[in-house]
Amino acid sequence: LRSVPPPNQAAVSTPLLTTKSTAKMMKNRSKMSTKRKFVADGVFYAELNELLTRELAEDGYAGVEVRTTPHRTEIIIRATKTQNVLGEKGQRIRELTSVVQKRFEFAEGAVELYAERVQNRGLCAQAQAESLKFKLLAGLAVRRACYGVVRFVMEASAKGCEVIVSGKLRGQRAKAMKFGDGYMIKTGHAGQVYTDIAVRHVAMRQGMIGIKVSIMLPHDPKGINGPSIPLDDVVTILEPKEEPSPESILQAQQAAEAAAAAAAQAAALQASMLAQQQAAAAAPVEPAMQAGF
């Protein structure tokens, strides 16, 4: 007879096949083909993002960046509350490092976790989606919570914001509510570059509710608060240069000619004086002048 595992063990044992295969893929990453390498990187990022989303939801988790170097793998966690991510004396970040190292079978010291603060959380869709999620779990009205998020995003110099909440909001009938402000580009290359989108699921008492937050980022030449690439349909009209009048052009020409003539006259006078001095120095001296009479 096989013993029945406890409930938490049964819940955890389901994704172990995926985890083992992912760990094996990450371990043999240098030997695999380019196609398999891309797949392994994508699966690793997806599992890591899911783990950090569940673990750091209350700390304003806003995404993760994986940098692979020949010697080690650097994982940068972006969050609004970096102190909570680090923990007391860095204990929590060390625990997360140990979990990631054991889960994906990294060598000792081959993976390093860092925490980075989000500069402007009003322009981060993931941070706002988490904020809206906890507002709804706290019992705040849907309309009030969504309008609060939209106003906060627009005050953070965003070009546009859209919040969609779908599920059983009031009665037994599921419906979707959409809240928006500003303007939003959803198609084309600009939609991919300028729009930050985050989706979260809220387990409410009446059922699961879906949240989607879309933020249209502003143009920033430095690339800090938004993309540095300008939009295709934005036309910048420069101020025309002042064209000088014909009279001013004629006066400028006459003044230049007079200055050139004066310079030529001064040069000729200086040359004649220099020639006279050279002639006087080369002339022979008379004997009476030499004797001093």
Side-chain angles (χ1 to χ4, degrees):
L1 291 175
R2 189 174 56 181
S3 60
V4 179
N8 55 356
Q9 187 177 343
V12 173
S13 62
T14 321
L16 273 181
L17 289 172
T18 316
T19 306
K20 286 183 179 178
S21 59
T22 309
K24 189 176 179 182
M25 289 167 73
M26 292 303 293
K27 196 173 182 180
N28 303 326
R29 188 175 180 275
S30 58
K31 303 175 184 177
M32 62 179 65
S33 64
T34 307
K35 187 167 75 171
R36 288 180 176 273
K37 196 177 292 184
F38 273 98
V39 173
D41 290 344
V43 174
F44 171 67
Y45 176 84
E47 290 197 18
L48 182 67
N49 186 45
E50 183 69 22
L51 170 70
L52 296 174
T53 301
R54 296 186 183 188
E55 181 67 26
L56 306 174
E58 298 181 4
D59 304 317
Y61 172 72
V64 64
E65 181 184 354
V66 181
R67 295 178 185 170
T68 306
T69 60
H71 302 290
R72 61 179 181 175
T73 303
E74 296 179 354
I75 298 172
I76 296 144
I77 301 169
R78 298 176 67 246
T80 55
K81 302 175 184 176
T82 50
Q83 199 59 44
N84 294 0
V85 175
L86 294 173
E88 189 176 352
K89 298 180 182 178
Q91 180 182 356
R92 193 174 187 191
I93 196 83
R94 286 197 299 271
E95 290 176 358
L96 287 171
T97 307
S98 176
V99 167
V100 171
Q101 178 185 333
K102 291 176 182 176
R103 184 181 176 96
F104 299 105
E105 295 184 7
F106 281 103
E108 189 72 30
V111 62
E112 195 73 34
L113 266 69
Y114 302 97
E116 183 185 48
R117 184 185 296 276
V118 177
Q119 297 294 332
N120 192 348
R121 64 190 182 96
L123 297 177
C124 180
Q126 294 199 42
Q128 294 307 311
E130 290 289 349
S131 170
L132 181 58
K133 174 182 174 180
F134 285 105
K135 282 181 181 178
L136 294 178
L137 287 172
L140 196 64
V142 176
R143 201 177 289 268
R144 186 175 178 183
C146 293
Y147 276 125
V149 168
V150 170
R151 187 173 65 252
F152 184 79
V153 169
M154 294 305 294
E155 286 174 357
S157 73
K159 284 189 175 181
C161 176
E162 185 183 65
V163 177
I164 302 174
V165 182
S166 61
K168 290 197 283 188
L169 303 176
R170 293 188 66 178
Q172 285 297 310
R173 183 84 174 186
K175 62 176 181 176
M177 297 176 72
K178 190 180 290 187
F179 308 88
D181 195 4
Y183 75 99
M184 181 81 55
I185 295 177
K186 297 185 179 181
T187 58
H189 182 251
Q192 298 174 0
V193 175
Y194 271 83
T195 310
D196 188 17
I197 301 173
V199 177
R200 291 290 182 272
H201 303 94
V202 190
M204 302 286 284
R205 189 163 53 101
Q206 64 268 28
M208 193 67 75
I209 288 181
I211 294 172
K212 183 178 180 181
V213 178
S214 304
I215 298 175
M216 178 80 177
L217 301 173
H219 170 62
D220 187 4
K222 296 181 180 179
I224 299 173
N225 290 327
S228 57
I229 307 170
L231 285 170
D232 299 331
D233 58 346
V234 173
V235 180
T236 306
I237 301 176
L238 302 175
E239 289 292 330
K241 296 180 180 179
E242 294 184 3
E243 294 184 1
S245 61
E247 296 177 358
S248 61
I249 295 175
L250 186 60
Q251 289 176 1
Q253 288 179 354
Q254 290 175 354
E257 289 174 1
Q265 189 176 1
L269 182 61
Q270 189 176 5
S272 63
M273 289 176 65
L274 186 62
Q276 290 176 3
Q277 289 176 1
Q278 290 176 353
V285 183
E286 296 179 3
M289 294 289 292
Q290 289 180 358
F293 296 103

